[in-house]
């Protein structure tokens, strides 16, 4: 049995879902992957829990952020550096919400963990948008893993496929429905539901960003496209390189017109190569029924990679929700430690 220490940074929707997924999968991890994940710390902005076996605390599964100080092992003001000093080296699971321009506050924490020989599984997109290439190089230098499935489609295994399954081929382009909130809104609009009502439903499902403008203005799609393009091309595009248009200027009449013609409007993130020049864009597109992403409705997502040697490869599914994002973090950790074959 391989024990591995886990430190969880952030106890919002994804952080809480991650603890529940850890609780639910404990025996599977042991039996199938020979892995015993020991949750040693949970850090919030006010302090943290530090204990030998946080998963054994009976009220953990139902705890909200406000309940954490009442759990056993709470230390006000406890910070990441204290924990990295006290806990045996393992994996930092980063679930903060971060600025897309600076990557902070998560970026500084991730840098410190990598420099001290910790693996990192990241869920927030800011650090990857701001300094993805630099973080990957830092992890390589330190001989540790830096994985970020939770930030690039989460339950849709886009990063895994792009990095590992297509290894050896050249990705010439990609096209994806990468944001569950906008896809859900467009699906509901097609059913005649007004934009605002559909957005409120997406917020109730816990999938919209805390600032839903990031979803509907296309920014969340742009960042995921950016991160994926940078990893599959080993490039260093910046967010300012992506031409972004969201769905806020679409009228109900345009959505209804597409539906009458048997078509659908989807928000697509695209990487295209034209005459050797790569271009990144996000914009609504009218899809015909034969398009590989035509059937991707509701909170589902999808992506097609266009490659030179493997042709087009399409993935569909991986709906947006906090549990799916948490499961993507767990998948990344299993990839670091577990027996996969
Ligand atoms: N707001 C995102 C979405 C979830 O709707 O897909 C996190 O990436």
């Amino acid at each position: 049995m391989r024990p591995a220490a886990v430190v969880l940074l952030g106890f919002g929707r994804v952080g809480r879902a991650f603890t529940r997924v850890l609780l639910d999968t404990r025996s599977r991890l042991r039996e199938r992957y020979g892995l015993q994940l020991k949750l040693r710390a949970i850090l919030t902005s006010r302090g943290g829990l530090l204990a030998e076996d946080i998963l054994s605390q009976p009220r953990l599964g139902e705890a909200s952020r406000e309940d954490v100080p009442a759990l056993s092992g709470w230390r006000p003001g406890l910070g990441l550096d204290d924990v990295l000093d006290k806990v045996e080296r393992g994996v930092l699971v980063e679930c903060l919400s971060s600025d897309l321009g600076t990557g902070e506050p998560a970026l500084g924490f991730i840098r410190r963990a990598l420099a001290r020989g910790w693996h990192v599984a990241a869920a927030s997109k800011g650090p990857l948008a701001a300094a993805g290439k630099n973080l990957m190089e830092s992890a390589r230098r330190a001989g540790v893993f830096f994985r970020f499935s939770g930030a690039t489609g989460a339950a849709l295994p886009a990063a895994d496929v792009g990095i590992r399954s297509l290894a050896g081929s050249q990705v010439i382009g990609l096209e994806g429905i990468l944001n569950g909130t906008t896809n859900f809104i467009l699906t509901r609009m097609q059913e005649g539901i007004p934009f605002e009502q559909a957005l409120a439903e997406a917020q109730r499902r816990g999938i919209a960003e805390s600032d839903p403008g990031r979803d509907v203005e296309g920014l969340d799609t742009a960042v995921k496209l950016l991160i994926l393009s940078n990893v599959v091309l080993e490039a260093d595009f910046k967010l300012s390189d992506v031409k972004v248009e969201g769905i806020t200027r679409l009228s109900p009449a345009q959505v209804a017109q597409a539906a009458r013609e048997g078509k659908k409007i989807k928000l697509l993130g695209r990487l295209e190569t034209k005459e050797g020049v790569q271009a990144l864009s996000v914009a609504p597109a009218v899809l015909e029924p034969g398009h590989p992403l035509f059937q991707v409705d509701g909170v589902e997502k999808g992506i097609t990679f266009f490659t030179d040697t493997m042709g087009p490869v399409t993935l569909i599914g991986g709906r947006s929700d906090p549990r799916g994002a948490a499961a993507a973090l767990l998948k990344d950790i299993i990839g670091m430690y577990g027996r996969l074959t």
Side-chain angles (χ1 to χ4, degrees):
M1 189 65 56
R2 188 155 185 208
V6 176
V7 168
L8 174 60
L9 185 58
F11 204 61
R13 284 192 304 256
V14 175
R16 291 197 301 277
F18 179 72
T19 58
R20 285 192 284 272
V21 166
L22 281 188
L23 287 167
D24 294 347
T25 57
R26 262 186 302 184
S27 56
R28 187 187 310 160
L29 292 182
R30 274 198 298 271
E31 286 154 24
R32 180 144 174 214
Y33 303 103
L35 187 59
Q36 184 196 10
L37 294 183
K38 293 171 70 181
L39 183 58
R40 297 278 280 112
I42 299 177
L43 291 163
T44 73
S45 54
R46 288 183 293 155
L49 277 185
L50 180 63
E52 268 308 311
D53 184 11
I54 294 176
L55 289 180
S56 66
Q57 300 209 16
R59 287 174 300 149
L60 181 70
E62 289 75 46
S64 69
R65 198 171 1 210
E66 289 64 41
D67 298 330
V68 177
L71 296 173
S72 162
W74 173 255
R75 302 186 192 191
L78 184 77
L80 180 65
D81 293 314
D82 306 316
V83 170
L84 296 182
D85 283 340
K86 289 189 173 88
V87 174
E88 62 281 13
R89 265 190 298 202
V91 55
L92 176 75
V93 176
E94 178 274 314
C95 297
L96 299 175
S97 115
S98 298
D99 183 87
L100 293 178
T102 65
E104 299 297 354
L107 179 57
F109 292 124
I110 293 175
R111 283 204 164 117
R112 268 148 47 209
L114 293 174
R116 289 160 91 145
W118 280 68
H119 304 306
V120 173
S124 73
K125 299 167 211 74
L128 284 142
K133 193 166 188 190
N134 174 271
L135 289 173
M136 285 173 235
E137 284 166 0
S138 301
R140 263 182 227 133
R141 269 199 305 277
V144 295
F145 291 111
F146 172 54
R147 298 251 163 116
F148 41 84
S149 298
T152 50
L156 180 80
D160 282 343
V161 169
I163 296 166
R164 278 169 273 281
S165 308
L166 303 178
S169 66
Q170 179 66 40
V171 174
I172 300 153
L174 63 83
E175 191 167 75
I177 296 172
L178 300 172
N179 178 270
T181 300
T182 44
N183 204 42
F184 178 79
I185 292 172
L186 290 172
T187 303
R188 295 292 278 150
M189 284 176 77
Q190 205 181 296
E191 293 160 1
I193 304 296
F195 174 95
E196 291 299 341
Q197 185 183 327
L199 172 59
E201 288 176 19
Q203 287 175 304
R204 277 199 295 281
R205 286 169 173 243
I207 60 163
E209 300 292 297
S210 44
D211 168 9
R214 279 193 187 187
D215 296 294
V216 297
E217 298 292 353
L219 205 53
D220 182 72
T221 302
V223 176
K224 290 169 180 164
L225 173 72
L226 173 77
I227 299 169
L228 284 170
S229 301
N230 278 341
V231 293
V232 297
L233 298 174
E234 293 215 43
D236 197 14
F237 291 112
K238 305 290 176 219
L239 198 47
S240 52
D241 296 323
V242 191
K243 200 170 155 216
V244 188
E245 183 189 331
I247 63 166
T248 49
R249 278 188 284 166
L250 277 179
S251 68
Q254 283 171 292
V255 178
Q257 177 64 26
R260 271 197 301 279
E261 292 170 5
K263 301 173 188 169
K264 291 177 185 172
I265 299 183
K266 299 287 181 190
L267 185 65
L268 288 188
R270 279 193 176 121
L271 159 71
E272 291 165 290
T273 308
K274 284 184 193 151
E275 294 169 9
V277 179
Q278 286 139 349
L280 304 181
S281 63
V282 176
V286 179
L287 303 192
E288 307 270 346
H291 191 284
L293 302 177
F294 185 80
Q295 298 297 350
V296 180
D297 287 328
V299 296
E300 301 291 341
K301 294 178 293 215
I303 188 165
T304 301
F305 293 92
F306 300 94
T307 74
D308 61 346
T309 51
M310 299 188 189
V313 175
T314 297
L315 291 170
I316 285 174
R319 64 186 56 182
S320 287
D321 80 339
R323 192 168 167 86
L329 289 163
L330 178 64
K331 179 266 304 274
D332 279 351
I333 298 172
I334 294 171
M336 296 172 190
Y337 289 102
R339 279 190 319 241
L340 276 179
T341 51

